[in-house]
Amino acid sequence: FDTFMDSSWYFARYCSPRSEAPFDRPAVDYWMPVDQYVGGVEHAILHLLYSRFFTRAMRRIGLIGIDEPFAGLFTQGMVCHETYRDSTGNWLLPEQVKKSPQGNLVSTLDDSPVEIGRSEKMSKSKKNVIDPTEIIGTYGADTARWFMLSDSPPERDLEWTEAGVEGAWRFVQRLWRMMNGAPPTPSFTGAANDPASMELRRTTHKTIAGVTDDIEKFRFNRAVARLYEFANALDDAKALDDIRGGARARREALEIMTRLLAPMMPHLAEELWHSLGHKTLLAEMPWPEADPALTIDETATVAVQVNGKLRATLNLPRDMAKDAAERAALADENVQRAIAGKPLRKVIIVPNRIINVVV
């Protein structure tokens, strides 16, 4: 049979791989449909269409009891790279291209000029492929994985660049230095006494909540961006090591950073976990959970309008009493200038969001 024959019902076989029959209906009806299918755009017409056809045909003749094979579908983008041709029109591999002393691209085979083509999905036929073993040997598998996840949303095409991989590799080195300078104090297990420590704890738990939500929704590039921001916050918080509560808060943040990195850079994360003094495998640890109380800011940015026009923005304590919020708004110089001594008709307050002064 053509390969499409087997690839159109293999998921049913996975439900009962040791069955004497092609599959066992009670097992298929229990496990199916597949919760989440991830595939390339080229599957949309062929594999997915055939799988749906086979599933409905098998239901029609009573072999299974489901209508659709996949409950969720996520279509990922392609990995792309520039294409190269030599002077005779033959395709060249990226490693067969180099820069000449004059700055133009030439072939490594005979120094003949190279024509640069458009960036297309990597394919063996056009030779615009990067050898994974070369990437892993130079940068490591975690660096390559981190770059691919960080470059663009997973549903869009990824443009492979050496500069992007270099940036990811530098971040790996930064993480290693950061963790090896971790304070040797236990993780934080109580309330912080100083504002700086509490601010770091809030950043930590907001990052947990954000990365968790991003991963569940396949927004891997946003999860990576949050971890870059978290790393910046950790660097800024080094001074907290001189404060007992601060050192404990930064230790907690470093451990959370390591745990959040694990799905994207598992090898590095295990090494960092060990460097923090843990004897167990990070892979055996549960996913961190955010403390809801620490994901809410103590202050809120409130817009102040006069007759519907924005005149000021104020950072006020969250859930501030309405009369106190009104006094703070009316005391602002820009608001006073907009009122220009006119009598107040009313003040409309939407807590933690807007104060509208009507004159």
Side-chain angles (χ1 to χ4, degrees), residues 49-63:
L49 180 64
Y50 297 161
S51 297
R52 296 184 70 201
F53 175 84
F54 265 66
T55 299
R56 296 194 176 204
M58 290 188 292
R59 178 180 173 86
R60 180 73 62 88
I61 62 177
L63 295 178

Side-chain angles (χ1 to χ4, degrees), residues 74 148-155 209-227 264:
F74 185 87
M148 287 189 286
L149 292 174
S150 66
D151 185 72
S152 60
E155 68 270 17
V211 170
T212 301
D213 185 60
D214 288 336
I215 290 177
E216 288 178 349
K217 295 178 179 176
F218 290 88
R219 299 188 302 229
F220 305 126
N221 62 311
R222 289 183 59 176
V224 169
R226 289 184 199 273
L227 292 173
M264 293 166 272

Side-chain angles (χ1 to χ4, degrees), residues 88-304:
T88 61
N90 293 318
W91 299 107
L92 295 172
L93 292 164
E95 59 262 33
Q96 294 174 321
V97 177
K98 67 178 182 179
K99 270 191 177 181
S100 70
Q102 294 74 32
N104 59 310
L105 295 183
V106 296
S107 169
T108 59
L109 304 176
D110 55 10
D111 287 332
S112 61
V114 169
E115 177 188 349
I116 304 175
R118 67 179 184 179
S119 179
E120 301 183 35
K121 71 170 184 176
M122 289 188 181
S123 66
K124 290 183 288 186
S125 62
K126 296 182 179 178
K127 295 189 176 181
N128 61 333
V129 295
I130 302 294
D131 187 353
T133 57
E134 181 180 339
I135 299 167
I136 293 170
T138 305
Y139 301 103
D142 279 355
T143 298
R145 185 184 294 107
W146 181 261
F147 165 63
M148 287 189 286
L149 292 174
S150 66
D151 185 72
S152 60
E155 68 270 17
R156 296 182 187 175
D157 290 345
L158 163 69
E159 184 68 31
W160 185 271
T161 68
E162 285 292 324
V165 183
E166 285 281 354
W169 184 82
R170 287 194 297 271
F171 183 65
V172 168
Q173 312 311 309
R174 179 184 173 192
L175 288 170
W176 182 256
R177 292 191 299 270
M178 181 187 299
M179 297 299 171
N180 279 275
T185 53
S187 291
F188 205 97
T189 55
N193 295 323
D194 61 287
S197 298
M198 278 305 300
E199 184 59 32
L200 178 58
R201 296 207 70 213
R202 276 192 289 271
T203 299
T204 298
H205 287 263
K206 286 179 185 177
T207 303
I208 296 173
V211 170
T212 301
D213 185 60
D214 288 336
I215 290 177
E216 288 178 349
K217 295 178 179 176
F218 290 88
R219 299 188 302 229
F220 305 126
N221 62 311
R222 289 183 59 176
V224 169
R226 289 184 199 273
L227 292 173
Y228 273 122
E229 293 175 359
F230 192 28
N232 292 337
L234 279 164
D235 280 339
D236 293 340
K238 285 182 179 178
L240 292 178
D241 289 353
D242 297 330
I243 308 169
R244 178 170 175 76
R248 292 168 67 88
R250 202 168 84 87
R251 173 74 184 201
E252 177 195 38
L254 290 169
E255 293 201 353
I256 292 298
M257 167 65 92
T258 304
R259 293 167 70 182
L260 295 178
L261 287 168
M264 293 166 272
M265 291 196 280
H267 307 96
L268 175 66
E270 288 290 352
E271 288 291 338
L272 296 178
W273 191 245
H274 180 75
S275 73
L276 289 171
H278 296 282
K279 304 302 181 185
T280 58
L281 286 174
L282 176 57
E284 296 175 346
M285 291 289 295
W287 185 252
E289 294 185 12
D291 182 342
L294 293 174
T295 60
I296 301 173
D297 288 324
E298 290 189 338
T299 62
T301 302
V302 178
V304 182

Side-chain angles (χ1 to χ4, degrees), residues 18-57:
R18 295 176 179 81
S19 174
E20 293 296 326
F23 47 78
D24 179 58
R25 174 167 178 171
V28 173
D29 290 349
Y30 175 81
W31 288 108
M32 294 287 291
V34 174
D35 295 283
Q36 182 67 55
Y37 180 93
V38 179
V41 66
E42 293 179 331
H43 283 75
I45 297 174
L46 302 176
H47 173 56
L48 294 177
L49 180 64
Y50 297 161
S51 297
R52 296 184 70 201
F53 175 84
F54 265 66
T55 299
R56 296 194 176 204

